[in-house]
């Protein structure tokens, strides 16, 4: 496939900023000089910056040089009271705009995100409607955005890191609000990005493996009837659940690993996905009809490189935005500097600090002793240090079914769950009133509100027989997200500060809630031994996801270095990068080289370098858990989640009196290992 053909015709029609900008520097300087003469030399820097910010985003269709000058002279707000009123009005208006459009968008995507039955052609068409794509263009067209750019600075990350410690809450809110206007992206490009992400999401959400149709090399079918697993989440969780199943479980784990390898290499036969009429042997790639007929080579034809087509479509859509982002001109920079508010090199160093830690090797040797065999690649997801490791999945499913026979029961139980975790009854009810539970089409997710009158939505996957432990475990994770979303929106002092520093921080609270899954069911405790096991398990999980995160980062750097790559070239590059990450950080513990299993994560395809947030989230979650053990849980969660969207460093120092660091996790894991855990 020609990669140039992946760019939509809409993208091709959009003129670049270079063709749209026309204001020479001399004209900008003249406007700034007039404003300084009118309002005083003390405002020289602020005026110069404001005029430059407007000019960088002013296009020919906005007016000629005379209109630009007139706009700046008329709308520069020298009076601080006027400036404060403008900020308040913009913030209040955008809360309603964002909130109402988010609710509309959620409704249009409802069939795609929730289990409402088979998707129809019209469902995807509605999901591709992105009303948000028109908000920013309209804000620039009406010149609201230009007024904001003229009067408030768009801060770069280095400025926040350098000066943020001296800012008031209102100064932080103004800074966060101006992130909104850092880019001026044409609606056509926004729409193309939505289309690319939706196509990737549909591909992933419908990528199911019918495990009862999977055969061993000798024709045995080891998985129970009706078991249908979404890749990668379902496959990984099924693999985890088989550690308590002895030799039979080990064979299943090896088979799942082989399925994962076939998927990332695109060697999986295209016909077997979600197909109940075919039997498939992943070890040999043999395919035969379920009625017992002989294997057929035509059915074994591999899936096209669709996985990598979808990845490239997302890449090209996001890369097309690069010229419109003067403060972060690549998606990589936007993901780190604007999204995470952490420099890429800092995130990489954080992840490497975990992978290079000698404690990881010590844990690997300890797991090998516990298993009584050499480590195998799927032991990336070893669960033996989890409290539920000694419990069979069937027992856990039965316990969940008794407590939560359906999603309605889970919805009604939320206040009680929150009280069990340590929230005051009144606050637990207040939170529960702002959370709605839905059945997920995919693995599950949390969708926060955008305005305070709306509610957060919790989505988890529920099989036809009712909620099982996997669905409950995901629900506990998403409940953590929802609690963060409610506190950081409904209880925040400035709407523009709503949220957390980056996605990793909401993941951190989600991981914290998820760690209490057994305790809520009455099956676990948090004694000293449990905490030691938690530290070791936390390090092992963090090392695994740190490796996957580095792979994600390497893939995107490769894509930018090879923007004309074909899907086949991209596939080979992803596999090569996966082998390199494996060989450097995992092969020494596993004794086998050139594995590609790290590339199985679906986020690589549909989430655009999201994975580092999980790794950072695990690290932050451990730091939060240490803090939350020392204080009243519910009160402290609320205090921390009301800090808002500061930089990660500022947020962590206010939350736990220290920076984001893997050292507390490493110290705790080392102590646990020394104690014989």
């Amino acid at each position: 496939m020609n990669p140039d053909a992946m760019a939509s015709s809409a993208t091709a029609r959009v003129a670049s900023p270079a063709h749209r900008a026309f204001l020479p520097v001399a004209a900008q300087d003249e406007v700034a000089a007039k404003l300084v003469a009118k309002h005083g030399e003390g405002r020289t820097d602020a005026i110069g910056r404001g005029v430059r910010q407007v000019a960088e985003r002013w296009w020919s269709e906005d007016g000629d040089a005379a209109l630009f000058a007139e706009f700046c002279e008329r709308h520069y707000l020298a009076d601080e009271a006027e400036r404060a009123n403008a900020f308040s009005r913009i913030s209040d208006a955008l809360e309603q705009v964002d909130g109402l459009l988010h609710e509309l968008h959620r409704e249009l995507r409802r069939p795609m995100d929730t289990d409402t039955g088979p998707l129809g052609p019209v469902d995807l068409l509605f999901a591709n409607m992105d009303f948000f794509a028109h908000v920013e263009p309209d804000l620039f067209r009406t010149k609201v955005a230009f007024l904001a750019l003229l009067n408030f600075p768009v801060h770069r990350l280095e400025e926040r890191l350098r000066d943020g410690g001296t800012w008031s809450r209102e100064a932080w809110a103004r800074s966060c609000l101006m992130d909104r206007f850092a880019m001026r992206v044409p609606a056509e490009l926004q729409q193309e990005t939505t289309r690319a992400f939706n196509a990737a999401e549909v591909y992933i959400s419908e990528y199911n493996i019918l495990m009862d149709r999977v055969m061993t090399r000798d024709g045995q079918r080891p998985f129970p009837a009706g078991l249908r697993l979404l890749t990668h989440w379902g496959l990984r969780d099924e693999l985890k659940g088989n550690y308590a199943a002895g030799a039979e479980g080990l064979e299943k784990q090896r088979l799942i690993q082989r399925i994962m390898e076939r998927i990332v290499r695109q060697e999986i036969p295209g016909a077997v996905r979600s197909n109940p009429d075919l039997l498939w042997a992943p070890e040999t790639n043999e395919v035969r009809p379920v009625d017992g007929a002989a294997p057929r080579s035509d059915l074994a034809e591999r899936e096209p490189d669709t996985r990598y087509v979808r990845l490239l479509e997302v890449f090209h859509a996001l890369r097309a935005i690069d010229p419109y982002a003067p403060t972060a001109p690549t998606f990589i920079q936007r993901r780190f500097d604007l999204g995470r508010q952490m420099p890429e090199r800092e995130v990489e160093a954080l992840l490497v600090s975990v992978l290079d830690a000698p404690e990881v090797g010590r844990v690997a040797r300890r797991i090998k002793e516990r298993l009584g065999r050499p480590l195998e690649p799927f032991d990336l997801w070893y669960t033996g240090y989890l409290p539920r490791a000694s419990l069979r999945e069937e027992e856990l499913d039965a316990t969940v079914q008794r407590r939560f026979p359906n999603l309605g029961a889970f919805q009604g139980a939320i206040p009680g769950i929150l009280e069990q975790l340590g929230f005051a009854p009144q606050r637990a009810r207040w939170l529960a009133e702002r959370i709605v539970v839905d059945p997920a089409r995919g693995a599950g997710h949390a969708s926060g509100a955008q305005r305070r009158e709306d509610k957060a939505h919790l989505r988890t996957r529920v099989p036809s027989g009712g909620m099982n432990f996997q669905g409950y475990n995901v629900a506990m994770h998403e409940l953590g997200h929802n609690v963060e979303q409610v506190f950081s929106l409904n209880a925040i002092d400035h709407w523009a500060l709503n949220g957390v520093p980056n996605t990793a921080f909401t993941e951190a609270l989600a991981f914290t809630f998820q760690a209490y899954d057994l305790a809520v069911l009455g099956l676990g405790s948090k004694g000293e031994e449990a905490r030691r096991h938690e530290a070791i398990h936390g390090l092992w999980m963090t090392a695994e996801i740190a490796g996957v995160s580095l792979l994600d980062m390497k893939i995107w750097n490769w894509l930018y270095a090879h923007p004309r790559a074909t899907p086949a070239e991209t596939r080979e590059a992803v596999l090569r990068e996966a082998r390199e990450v494996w060989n450097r950080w995992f092969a020494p513990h596993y004794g086998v080289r050139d594995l590609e299993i790290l590339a199985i994560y679906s986020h690589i395809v549909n989430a655009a370098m999201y994975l580092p947030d999980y790794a950072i989230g695990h690290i932050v979650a451990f730091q939060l858990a240490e803090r939350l053990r020392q204080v009243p849980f519910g009160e402290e969660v609320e205090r921390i989640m009301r800090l808002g969207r500061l930089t990660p460093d500022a947020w962590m120092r206010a939350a736990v009196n220290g920076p984001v660091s893997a050292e507390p996790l490493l110290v705790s894991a080392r102590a646990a290992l020394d104690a014989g855990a």
Side-chain angles (χ1 to χ4, degrees):
M1 180 180 294
N2 181 355
D4 293 337
M6 293 183 187
S8 70
S9 58
T11 300
R13 290 196 304 269
V14 178
S16 72
H19 295 115
R20 289 176 141 164
F22 70 99
L23 290 169
V25 173
Q28 300 174 39
D29 290 345
E30 182 180 347
V31 171
K34 287 183 178 179
L35 288 173
V36 169
K38 180 177 181 180
H39 299 291
E41 295 286 338
R43 301 180 183 274
T44 299
D45 290 343
I47 288 172
R49 182 171 186 163
V51 170
R52 185 176 67 255
Q53 287 180 167
V54 174
E56 285 175 338
R57 298 158 180 85
W58 186 281
W59 296 340
S60 56
E61 55 258 47
D62 298 315
D64 58 16
L67 189 59
F68 170 80
E70 179 188 340
F71 176 86
C72 291
E73 291 171 19
R74 182 177 180 183
H75 291 94
Y76 179 72
L77 304 176
D79 181 72
E80 179 53 36
E82 282 189 273
R83 195 182 299 254
N85 286 336
F87 163 72
S88 179
R89 176 65 181 129
I90 294 171
S91 183
D92 290 346
L94 289 181
E95 177 178 2
Q96 295 304 312
V97 170
D98 287 0
L100 291 167
L101 288 182
H102 171 74
E103 292 161 45
L104 178 59
H105 186 64
R106 186 176 64 219
E107 176 57 29
L108 292 177
R109 284 184 57 92
R110 183 168 52 85
M112 202 165 101
D113 290 337
T114 62
D115 191 4
T116 57
L119 281 173
V122 72
D123 294 324
L124 183 57
L125 296 177
F126 270 125
N128 282 334
M129 292 179 66
D130 185 2
F131 293 102
F132 280 105
H134 299 279
V135 174
E136 263 62 36
D138 284 346
L139 288 171
F140 279 97
R141 192 175 299 112
T142 60
K143 296 187 171 56
V144 170
F146 290 130
L147 184 146
L149 287 162
L150 182 63
N151 291 284
F152 305 106
V154 176
H155 290 116
R156 293 179 180 268
L157 177 59
E158 55 265 31
E159 293 178 282
R160 285 181 179 166
L161 295 176
R162 184 189 67 220
D163 304 329
T166 65
W167 290 353
S168 66
R169 294 284 294 176
E170 177 148 345
W172 270 107
R174 291 184 182 187
S175 181
C176 289
L177 181 71
M178 291 307 296
D179 287 346
R180 180 68 169 263
F181 307 113
M183 298 186 294
R184 184 183 185 182
V185 181
E188 300 96 319
L189 297 189
Q190 295 278 29
Q191 290 278 19
E192 174 60 17
T193 300
T194 298
R195 188 211 63 77
F197 273 108
N198 281 345
E201 180 61 32
V202 169
Y203 172 74
I204 291 299
S205 67
E206 296 188 339
Y207 205 120
N208 290 286
I209 305 297
L210 305 187
M211 299 302 287
D212 57 357
R213 300 302 193 259
V214 170
M215 302 185 297
T216 61
R217 187 186 300 270
D218 59 3
Q220 300 299 309
R221 294 162 64 179
F223 294 96
L227 184 61
R228 174 174 172 265
L229 299 180
L230 181 68
T231 183
H232 76 284
W233 297 276
L235 291 171
R236 180 199 60 190
D237 291 344
E238 175 69 15
L239 192 155
K240 289 179 179 181
N242 275 284
Y243 275 104
E248 178 186 343
L250 181 60
E251 290 306 310
K252 290 181 180 179
Q253 290 171 319
R254 289 170 176 161
L255 202 53
I256 292 171
Q257 178 188 325
R258 194 67 179 127
I259 292 171
M260 290 178 169
E261 291 169 344
R262 294 290 191 190
I263 290 170
V264 299
R265 293 174 185 165
Q266 295 277 238
E267 294 172 349
I268 182 173
V272 305
R273 282 179 46 201
S274 301
N275 190 341
D277 298 325
L278 298 177
L279 299 177
W280 173 45
E283 294 163 296
T284 62
N285 240 7
E286 175 186 290
V287 180
R288 65 175 64 182
V290 76
D291 61 10
R296 288 170 44 186
S297 59
D298 62 312
L299 294 175
E301 184 177 346
R302 78 175 184 91
E303 180 187 21
D305 288 324
T306 313
R307 184 178 182 89
Y308 300 100
V309 169
R310 295 288 174 256
L311 170 60
L312 282 173
E313 287 176 342
V314 169
F315 165 68
H316 286 296
L318 292 170
R319 182 171 173 264
I321 294 172
D322 290 355
Y324 299 89
T327 60
T330 70
F331 176 71
I332 296 172
Q333 290 174 281
R334 295 194 291 279
R335 186 58 117 175
F336 285 96
D337 292 3
L338 300 184
R340 292 193 177 96
Q341 301 189 84
M342 297 176 74
E344 183 182 10
R345 65 183 182 277
E346 181 181 315
V347 173
E348 182 177 3
L350 182 66
L351 302 179
V352 170
S353 74
V354 174
L355 290 166
D356 279 347
E359 290 79 10
V360 176
R362 290 185 63 187
V363 174
R365 291 189 293 274
R366 191 64 57 84
I367 291 173
K368 179 180 175 181
E369 293 170 6
R370 283 173 145 239
L371 290 170
R373 60 167 172 79
L375 293 183
E376 299 195 35
F378 56 78
D379 292 322
L380 283 166
W381 298 293
Y382 174 73
T383 60
Y385 278 105
L386 281 175
R388 68 171 183 265
S390 60
L391 301 171
R392 292 181 66 88
E393 201 77 9
E394 296 82 0
E395 300 172 38
L396 293 170
D397 288 346
T399 302
V400 169
Q401 268 288 294
R402 287 193 296 272
R403 180 83 181 269
F404 311 114
N406 51 50
L407 281 187
F410 187 85
Q411 172 87 67
I414 288 176
I417 291 172
L418 294 173
E419 287 186 51
Q420 279 184 265
L421 293 176
F423 289 89
Q426 183 177 0
R427 211 52 170 163
R429 290 193 298 273
W430 181 84
L431 286 164
E433 288 167 359
R434 288 161 177 79
I435 299 170
V436 176
V437 181
D438 302 318
R441 179 175 294 279
H445 63 276
S447 175
Q450 297 287 314
R451 65 184 189 117
R452 282 165 276 203
E453 295 88 347
D454 191 20
K455 296 183 180 182
H457 282 247
L458 185 161
R459 276 84 181 261
T460 190
R461 201 174 208 197
V462 181
S464 57
M467 183 178 268
N468 59 14
F469 183 78
Q470 282 188 18
Y472 160 73
N473 179 262
V474 169
M476 286 296 295
H477 180 94
E478 307 308 338
L479 181 59
H481 281 305
N482 289 147
V483 168
E484 174 272 305
Q485 291 161 348
V486 173
F487 276 140
S488 67
L489 172 66
N490 296 78
I492 202 77
D493 50 351
H494 294 281
W495 176 82
L497 272 176
N498 79 86
V500 286
N502 61 48
T503 306
F505 288 75
T506 186
E507 291 295 350
L509 191 63
F511 290 138
T512 300
F513 271 58
Q514 193 172 14
Y516 284 92
D517 56 356
L518 290 186
V520 167
L521 293 175
L523 299 175
S525 65
K526 288 286 184 179
E528 283 302 316
E529 183 180 12
R531 280 196 282 271
R532 285 194 291 268
H533 284 196
E534 195 174 77
I536 295 175
H537 178 71
L539 177 57
W540 193 244
M541 280 197 309
T542 305
E544 176 262 338
I545 200 63
V548 177
S549 301
L550 285 175
L551 171 60
D552 205 10
M553 294 161 63
K554 287 176 178 291
I555 289 169
W556 274 84
N557 278 282
W558 184 89
L559 288 171
Y560 264 94
H562 303 84
R564 295 176 60 81
T566 65
E569 291 167 340
T570 303
R571 179 193 72 230
E572 291 307 308
V574 169
L575 297 178
R576 183 175 59 251
E577 297 288 0
R579 291 192 295 270
E580 289 180 3
V581 172
W582 177 273
N583 289 343
R584 177 173 175 185
W585 284 294
F586 296 92
H589 309 313
Y590 289 82
V592 58
R593 294 177 59 80
D594 295 333
L595 266 291
E596 298 153 347
I597 196 171
L598 296 173
I600 189 58
Y601 271 72
S602 298
H603 306 77
I604 290 172
V605 178
N606 71 342
M609 218 167 26
Y610 179 96
L611 283 160
D613 290 326
Y614 279 127
I616 301 166
H618 279 300
I619 291 166
V620 172
F622 191 85
Q623 293 179 273
L624 284 183
E626 293 284 282
R627 169 72 181 176
L628 293 172
R629 274 199 286 270
Q630 304 166 19
V631 293
F633 184 92
E635 293 176 15
E636 190 66 1
V637 165
E638 178 169 358
R639 180 190 74 83
I640 292 173
M641 294 305 149
R642 290 173 67 174
L643 291 171
R645 197 162 58 87
L646 312 178
T647 61
D649 185 71
W651 194 94
M652 285 297 287
R653 292 184 187 281
V656 301
N657 300 316
V660 178
S661 171
E663 191 59 23
L665 174 58
L666 297 173
V667 168
S668 294
R670 189 184 315 140
L673 291 163
D674 289 344

Coordinates of all heavy atoms in Angstrom, one line a residue, residues 127 360 404 454 617:
A127 N -20.1 7.8 14.8 CA -18.9 7.9 15.6 C -17.8 8.8 15.0 O -17.0 9.4 15.7 CB -18.3 6.5 15.9
V360 N 15.2 -6.0 39.8 CA 14.4 -6.8 38.8 C 15.0 -8.2 38.5 O 14.3 -9.2 38.5 CB 14.3 -6.0 37.4 CG1 13.6 -6.8 36.4 CG2 13.6 -4.6 37.6
F404 N -22.1 -9.4 42.7 CA -22.6 -8.5 41.7 C -23.1 -9.3 40.5 O -22.4 -9.5 39.5 CB -21.4 -7.6 41.2 CG -20.7 -6.9 42.3 CD1 -19.3 -7.2 42.6 CD2 -21.3 -6.0 43.1 CE1 -18.6 -6.6 43.6 CE2 -20.6 -5.3 44.1 CZ -19.2 -5.7 44.4
D454 N -22.8 17.2 34.4 CA -22.8 15.9 33.8 C -22.3 14.8 34.8 O -21.9 15.1 35.9 CB -22.0 15.9 32.5 CG -22.1 14.6 31.7 OD1 -23.1 13.9 31.8 OD2 -21.2 14.4 30.9
G617 N 2.3 5.6 35.7 CA 1.2 5.4 36.6 C 1.5 4.4 37.7 O 1.1 4.6 38.9

